Amino acid sequence: MGRLFGQMTGRSLRLSITLFLAFVMSYLFLGVLAFQFPETLRVLLRWAADAERFLTTTGLPARYNNFIEIYLSKATILLVFLTIFSRIVIAVVATIVNESFRSLGPAKPKTAQPRRPAPAR
């Protein structure tokens, strides 16, 4: 029971750290885009506006479409995109770090494969 609790705690802690890092990194990416690459940010904002226009003109009934228009804006779409991008970056970096530490550990001993008997003649 204790080992299972430790695994669940470790996984939820890792997930929480990943989500927090993705949140912070998305705003850092937004700041870098705003100050270093303003034209790229303009293109991404146009893309987000097109996505917003597409999603709000789907022909849904008014009771659903109103919520989409309230909660969906081009800034929200852009931040979701940057959050997904930062989660991908975190996953790639974490995989590289994890595999490099795993390769530093002790080598697993190779188990001998059982021999097959020679075919009868």
Side-chain angles (χ1 to χ4, degrees), residues 102-108:
R102 186 175 292 168
S103 67
L104 294 176
K108 292 183 180 179

Side-chain angles (χ1 to χ4, degrees), residues 1-74:
M1 182 69 177
R3 182 176 180 187
L4 178 64
F5 181 72
Q7 288 176 346
M8 288 176 24
T9 304
R11 287 181 183 166
S12 62
L13 181 64
R14 260 191 318 234
L15 178 65
S16 299
I17 290 171
T18 302
L19 289 173
F20 179 74
L21 281 176
F23 170 73
V24 171
M25 283 179 62
S26 64
Y27 279 99
L28 287 175
F29 286 149
L30 183 62
V32 168
L33 284 172
F35 291 112
Q36 298 297 323
F37 306 103
E39 292 302 318
T40 305
L41 181 60
R42 177 174 286 148
V43 169
L44 287 174
L45 283 170
R46 282 189 198 140
W47 171 80
D50 291 342
E52 177 187 13
R53 199 171 309 113
F54 172 76
L55 292 171
T56 55
T57 59
T58 56
L60 289 173
R63 82 174 95 170
Y64 303 119
N65 204 27
N66 289 337
F67 284 109
I68 290 175
E69 288 185 20
I70 289 171
Y71 293 116
L72 197 67
S73 67
K74 64 182 180 180

